[in-house]
Amino acid sequence: MIGSPFVQREQNSVRRTMIEVMIALIPGTLAHAWFFGPGILVSLLVCGFFALFFEGFALLMRGGAFGTMISDGSALVTAWLFALSVPPLAPWWLYAVGILFAILVAKHLYGGLGQNPFNPAMVGYAVLIVSFPNYMTQWPGPAHLVNHLPSLSEAFDLVFAGQGSVSVDAYTMASPLDTVKTLLRAGVAKRDILGNPVFGRLSGTGLEWVALMYLVGGLYLMARRLITWHVPVAFLAAVIVTSAVLQKIDPGHNMGPVFHLFTASAMLGAFFIATDPVSGCGTPRGKLIFAGLAGFLAIVIRSYGGYPDGVAFAVLIMNVAAPFIDAYTQPRVYGHAKGGKVGR
Amino acid sequence: MTQPIFSFPGGLHPADHKAESNTAAIVPAPLSARYRVPMRQHAGNPAKPLVLPGEHVLKGQAIGCLDGRISATVHAPTSGRVVGVESYPIPHPSGLTDRCVVIESDGRDEAVPASRLDWRNLAPEAVCEELEDMGLVGLGGAVFPSHIKLEPAAGIETLIINGAECEPWITCDDRLMRERAGEIMAGVEIARHLLGAREVLVGIEDNKPEAIAAMRAACAGTGAKVVVVPTKYPSGGAKQLIELLTGLEIPAGKLSTDIGIQVFNVATSYALWRAAELGEALVSRVVTVTGHVARPGNYEVRVGTPIEELLQLAGGELPGATGQLVGGPLMGFDLEDTRAPVTKGVNCIIVTSDALFPPRPRAMPCIRCGQCALACPVRLQPYEMYLYAKAKDLDKAKAYNLADCIECGCCSYVCPSHIPLVDYYRFAKSELLARGREQRAAETARERHEFRSFRLEREKQEKAERLGKKAGERLEAGAVAADDPEAARKKALLEAAIERAKKAKEAAPPPANTDHLSAAQQAEVDAIEARRAQAGTEQTVADKT
Amino acid sequence: MIMAILVMAGIGLMLGIVLGWAEVRFRVAEDPLVEKIDKILPQTQCGQCGFPGCRPYAEAIAKHEADINLCPPGGEHGVRQLADLLGVEFKPLGAGKEPKPKSVAVIDENTCIGCTLCIQACPVDAIIGASKQMHTIVANACTGCELCLAPCPVDCIHMEVIHESVGNWKWRYPVFPIHEEAKAA
Ligand code: SF4
Ligand code: SF4
């Protein structure tokens, strides 16, 4: 017997929520395809396929309502976020391995939907960057800077048949973050590095537009009340503050706030990754702390860590702390004093 | 000077469905042939029946009296004959039966002589005592006995009159305010007088412009202020309305009176007016009948009227009806049996259909999206409480302030996973309540046991002392009695009594027609006896508590 | 090498002193164990555990003379609490210790001869009556221990199960179909 309430919000379901997230991801994805070629669409397709495959496999193994669970869209969102985090045009098996870890290990081994302590897409990304670092740096460059961006059919060839007709060097280019990292290591002065055509007005050329589109998608999510302002604001604020401070400390080596803000992964992290409710914090103050620390760590890892980007590791580290933060940031409940006006 | 309006967190804006039932005037229901009046219509202990089958009662005559402090009197809704005191379905989420007095109407509807209560000149305590016999309870749904709430308490500053009626579909208070604003305000004046409140605030949601206008007119010159609050569920919750009107919260574990506020519903104020000015006990109330019925509307119904008759009054259920809800769709409950009577707490009957109330989709796992926490008007983290209530880890659920949940249903309403969250809270809460009860029972049992041990010890000592004394005396007298003749006599008496009782028991049920039975008949009788004996051991003791 | 050993020993000594001091300084005055165990036991005083009342059983548990799963009225919840308190493994109630539904004793007042034997047996003084007067049981105080059944010379006491009523009804644990496909089929 199920009691009251006997009414529910209309047009409201897990599937609906996931669809909204996917809608919010469309502008960023299209911008990516516009600047870096249609390869992203192929990798998206491949990741989506593997995500549904592994999700279906896990659901069948675990029993339960297969139909509702497979169509909830959560696997597709994970796949989409993963696809946006890894370079397109990599061989298909790379995506398969990443998604395998994301869906099977990070999600279902921990109990499936709603139970994963770590962000599945970031787990998949982290596994790949640790295991296959060379593939993970082969980002296609912006159209006007590289010889030849693969077309859609060439992209299919690349993904499924290995490096077919187009050579890797023809389209890849070190990403802005990679460039900064490798060249600084090589002892090149920062001013010279910034002369590199891969940098645009704000951050990487092209990438800054992708970042802006993520921002648009994120604002859409906020308008739809699927995420609150806490995580994005705290994350981006921490990115700005941390990078500003680091730049002040060591202007010769550290990039400024604008650069960091408009790298695509920071925006994606602020609006789509750190906002993952399952592996993040739930209380308003908890969200601020969680996202603030994640933003701080992301910049610290970018600046001093061994890997070019730090968003994924920052989020994963904070995932560990999320339940702890939540436990200590419970909001003041009605009628309980503790810094609130209760009674006359 | 305008009254400031505050706000409360969370809340909902569900489709209000008020228009269905708020256009027509309140219709008085005709007399029923038979009323079943439950003894449990209020919070606290059920009333104790005062009448026996066969007795003739008049309308407004008390048929159940208070049992303990928190209890309320129950009255006959019309004149007629008491035909039974029996277990019968009552409108309750459990769907169980409870004790009802059944009255067969004699059609004359004779009332007990009523007299106006001179409440202005009597001492407030005396007025409360009189009101105790009027059976007033909170008609907004909480059914807490009003005479307790009206007891003069020190420092009541503000009297809040709840006309918010925030739940969808329900319009009985709306209609009452439109049609009987003057009487409501007269009742409010009585309450204000008894409580000595300085300020009276009438909170009404802004989706009831007619009611607001009527109440404004009635308030003119009385010093009471109508405060229009924005429409947001659950603004009609007592705690939320207090927060809206005064910006104050009731500290956890305290009552509103502790911060100088008392809240009455408009319908209760109206009943108070009837009780004090007309001397009429609470035997009827306005009930909204709406949803999938032919003529939705508001009906003034006697307590004890079968709900099925009420549905007929509203033109009957339309084809495709799937059931009935008592109360609103957010906090009400499913009615198990339409034969159940209307009680003082029934403010609305909604006939459901699949179109109006689509069945709740299958629950998915919680995705911790936090929508529930955003909707919760008391700032709880519903998903955490759900997690622990589901795992039956009640202590953990309690640590997340489960006790502060007002069961408003906002969280379940917004949950994209369609989890029946409130069901888990209600389960955990009633489980915790039962545990508390058991704990207290164990506590008393321990005390009683310890006292008994102490008593036995004391008796033993006293006896030893007495014997010592006696023995001394006897020794002095030199009389040595081998056997105590007194004890022997007692034993003989006891045995004789046992004998008598045994004989009496054997002869106890002397059925007149059991002599001269054939062997077959005897066997049958024996079998029946055996079965009866077995059934006897399974007999029920209803409600020990 | 010597240095290392000395440092380690020094650290150990210091920690030991701090801990020892804390032990004395911050000692928590707690209920003795028996009290805590007794608090968990349901106080029916029925003796079904084999001890003459709850307190003696609590003492026996505290002295490790009795198992924690001997109390039927406490049920599984009781055993679980005891296991938690004592830090031992939960075990199901012992054989023949299945809890019965909660009941109260009722005296058939027509048969009662007023012998006071049941009054003497009742561990919580829940029976009212006097010699050669009819006795009756205070249902609210009765723990359902059944100790009064045996002494009655005329067998006029029986147990009545407390059935669910509106007053003691509890909300159920929500259950709904897990296999929607199975249901549809
Ligand atoms: S609304 Fe439902 S799914 Fe979302 S956090 Fe609350 S319980 Fe979980
Ligand atoms: S039912 Fe309880 S937890 Fe849910 S929204 Fe209402 S008060 Fe909050």
Side-chain angles (χ1 to χ4, degrees), chain A residues 3-9 12-14 113-114 225 277-278 282 326 330-336 341-344, chain B residues 239 247 249-252 259 329-330 332 360 366-368 371 378-379 381 383 401 404 413-414 416-418 423 426:
Chain A
S4 63
F6 299 97
V7 281
Q8 308 103 43
R9 180 177 279 173
N12 183 30
S13 65
V14 174
L113 181 66
R225 293 178 187 280
V278 179
D326 260 350
Q330 288 297 314
R332 184 184 70 83
V333 173
Y334 176 99
H336 291 259
K341 37 124 201 53
V342 177
R344 267 189 215 266
Chain B
K239 290 178 172 177
E249 293 180 10
I250 306 172
I259 56 169
L330 283 150
R360 204 175 175 83
C366 167
I367 52 170
R368 293 174 52 94
Q371 296 294 332
V378 287
R379 269 181 254 108
Q381 298 288 302
Y383 55 91
N401 296 309
D404 292 291
Y413 181 88
V414 299
S417 288
H418 309 295
D423 284 274
R426 281 188 287 240

Side-chain angles (χ1 to χ4, degrees), chain B residues 452 455-456 459 463 494, chain C residues 114-129 131 135 147-148 151:
Chain B
R452 177 173 184 271
R455 177 174 65 80
L456 289 183
E459 274 167 14
K463 202 168 177 185
L494 181 63
Chain C
C115 68
T116 76
L117 288 177
C118 56
I119 297 184
Q120 290 163 39
C122 178
V124 289
D125 281 344
I127 306 179
I128 305 177
S131 178
H135 299 354
L147 291 181
C148 52

Side-chain angles (χ1 to χ4, degrees), chain B residues 279-292:
Chain B
E280 282 179 19
L282 178 58
V283 294
S284 66
R285 68 157 298 146
V286 180
V287 182
T288 306
V289 186
T290 183
H292 207 51

Side-chain angles (χ1 to χ4, degrees), chain B residues 295-468:
Chain B
R295 281 194 304 278
N298 285 287
Y299 299 86
E300 189 159 24
V301 194
R302 312 264 171 121
V303 163
T305 310
I307 288 175
E308 50 191 358
E309 275 183 34
L310 187 55
L311 292 174
Q312 283 315 313
L313 207 58
E317 301 182 344
L318 296 174
T322 49
Q324 305 81 23
L325 304 181
V326 175
L330 283 150
M331 290 183 79
F333 56 89
D334 213 8
L335 183 66
E336 206 106 311
D337 192 335
T338 51
R339 291 175 307 161
V342 169
T343 62
K344 295 173 187 174
V346 173
N347 52 0
C348 181
I349 309 282
I350 307 174
V351 177
T352 57
S353 71
D354 278 340
L356 294 176
F357 294 92
R360 204 175 175 83
R362 207 192 94 87
M364 299 270 292
C366 167
I367 52 170
R368 293 174 52 94
C369 66
Q371 296 294 332
C372 48
L374 288 180
C376 180
V378 287
R379 269 181 254 108
L380 292 164
Q381 298 288 302
Y383 55 91
E384 303 274 14
M385 300 195 313
Y386 155 69
L387 202 68
Y388 293 115
K390 188 180 181 200
K392 303 190 184 173
D393 189 345
L394 302 182
D395 297 320
K396 256 317 207 337
K398 205 165 126 194
Y400 277 96
N401 296 309
L402 177 65
D404 292 291
C405 167
I406 57 169
E407 296 174 31
C408 64
C410 292
C411 49
S412 304
Y413 181 88
V414 299
C415 178
S417 288
H418 309 295
I419 302 171
L421 294 162
V422 188
D423 284 274
Y424 285 95
Y425 308 150
R426 281 188 287 240
F427 153 75
K429 277 179 157 185
S430 65
E431 210 51 49
L432 281 168
L433 223 72
R435 265 192 207 166
R437 264 204 305 262
E438 270 163 33
Q439 198 67 46
R440 275 196 302 282
E443 227 34 72
T444 356
R446 186 199 344 265
E447 274 162 26
R448 293 183 77 98
H449 180 63
E450 274 163 11
F451 178 75
R452 177 173 184 271
S453 312
F454 162 75
R455 177 174 65 80
L456 289 183
E457 196 53 38
R458 191 187 59 197
E459 274 167 14
K460 217 159 89 193
Q461 260 176 24
E462 283 170 0
K463 202 168 177 185
E465 272 168 30
R466 256 203 326 273
L467 280 182

Side-chain angles (χ1 to χ4, degrees), chain B residues 463-513:
Chain B
K463 202 168 177 185
E465 272 168 30
R466 256 203 326 273
L467 280 182
K469 243 193 231 157
K470 238 189 199 160
E473 281 164 14
R474 267 191 213 147
L475 272 184
E476 270 171 30
V480 185
D483 213 339
D484 191 350
E486 181 64 4
R489 198 180 63 86
K490 268 190 186 160
K491 201 167 169 202
L493 275 178
L494 181 63
E495 252 146 36
I498 292 175
E499 250 345 276
R500 269 204 307 282
K502 272 200 185 131
K503 273 201 196 113
K505 201 175 183 184
E506 270 156 27
N513 54 354

Side-chain angles (χ1 to χ4, degrees), chain B residues 92 94 362 390 426-427 430-431 435 439 442 445-446 448-449 452 455 501 505 539-541 543-544, chain C residues 38 43 45 77 104 113 120 122-125 139-140 142 155 160-162 165-166 169-171 173 178:
Chain B
H92 188 267
S94 66
R362 207 192 94 87
K390 188 180 181 200
R426 281 188 287 240
F427 153 75
S430 65
E431 210 51 49
R435 265 192 207 166
Q439 198 67 46
R446 186 199 344 265
R448 293 183 77 98
H449 180 63
R452 177 173 184 271
R455 177 174 65 80
K505 201 175 183 184
Q539 233 172 33
T540 71
V541 181
D543 187 13
K544 179 188 165 192
Chain C
D38 199 36
Q43 305 300 325
Q45 316 293 354
H77 178 62
V104 288
I113 54 170
Q120 290 163 39
C122 178
V124 289
D125 281 344
N140 277 338
C142 172
D155 285 342
E160 285 191 357
V161 174
I162 302 171
S165 71
V166 177
W169 175 78
K170 293 191 279 186
W171 280 92
Y173 188 75
I178 298 176

